[in-house]
Amino acid sequence: MTEPVAFAVDTMLGRLARWLRILGHDAAYGPHLHGAGLTELARRERRVIVTRDTQLVRDPNLPPHVFVTSDHFREQLREVAAAIPLAAAEPFSRCLDCNVALATIDRAAVRERVPPYVFETQERFWTCPHCHHVYWPATHHARMRDELAELRLGAPA
Ligand SMILES: [Zn+2]
C-alpha cells in the first residue's frame, strides 16, 4: 500500500482542498498559500502542489504539481485523481477545518458534547485533537459518500 500523497493547495482552490480532506488526504490550505509561499511549503514538506495558477506552472523548477483547469470542484477532483491515486487515504479520517488526523474517542466521553439524539443513535465518535470538534458517521457523510461514488473515488458505504 502506497503512502497517501500530501498536497499543498493553492488559495484559489478552497473547495477542492476540503474534498481532498474528505478523502482523507493531508491538504494544506490557507490564505498565504499562493505563489512563492505555496512553492516553499511544498518543497519543505514534500507536498504535491495543486494549482490553477498559469504563471506558477511556467516555473521550470516547480516541485511536483497538478495543474487543474476546471472551475468546478468535481471536475477539479477528477483532474487531481487522474494524476495522483487518491484511494490510498482513509476517507473521513481528517478534520475538515484543521487538516489533522482524527482520533477515536470513547462514546461515554462525548455525552455532554453532542446532541442527545446523536448520542443515543451513534456508536462511534472521533475528535479533532486541534479544534476538539466531535465527528460521527451521519447524514452528511452519506451525501459525501454518494458524491464520491459518483466521482468513482471509492468509499462505498
Ligand atoms: Zn479540527
Side-chain angles (χ1 to χ4, degrees):
M1 180 120 173
T2 49
E3 275 286 294
V5 170
F7 295 98
V9 182
D10 205 314
T11 186
M12 62 182 89
L13 296 169
R15 201 161 180 200
L16 178 60
R18 196 170 173 85
W19 275 92
L20 289 170
R21 289 176 185 175
I22 289 169
L23 282 163
H25 283 271
D26 178 346
Y29 176 76
H32 58 298
L33 291 182
H34 57 91
L38 185 69
T39 309
E40 252 165 55
L41 179 81
R43 280 216 178 87
R44 195 168 63 237
E45 300 185 358
R46 296 176 181 282
R47 294 171 177 274
V48 173
I49 292 173
V50 182
T51 186
R52 285 189 64 196
D53 186 341
T54 51
Q55 203 74 15
L56 194 70
V57 295
R58 281 195 207 124
D59 175 0
N61 297 316
L62 194 68
H65 58 276
V66 180
F67 178 56
V68 299
T69 58
S70 176
D71 290 331
H72 304 285
F73 83 91
R74 287 189 187 85
E75 200 47 48
Q76 291 169 346
L77 208 48
R78 284 200 187 93
E79 290 183 287
V80 176
I84 310 259
L86 294 179
E90 173 69 27
F92 309 113
S93 63
R94 194 168 287 277
C95 181
L96 302 187
D97 293 322
C98 310
N99 190 42
V100 298
L102 299 178
T104 53
I105 185 169
D106 276 352
R107 187 166 172 270
V110 301
R111 182 189 277 279
E112 306 298 325
R113 295 168 61 191
V114 300
Y117 173 79
V118 170
F119 184 78
E120 293 307 325
T121 55
Q122 299 295 317
E123 294 289 330
R124 297 197 299 160
F125 296 90
W126 292 264
T127 189
C128 169
H130 187 253
C131 72
H132 306 294
H133 184 85
V134 176
Y135 288 82
W136 59 88
T139 48
H140 71 281
H141 273 204
R143 279 205 303 278
M144 289 174 186
R145 278 178 196 283
D146 289 348
E147 187 83 63
L148 295 179
E150 201 156 301
L151 289 162
R152 296 181 190 283
L153 288 173

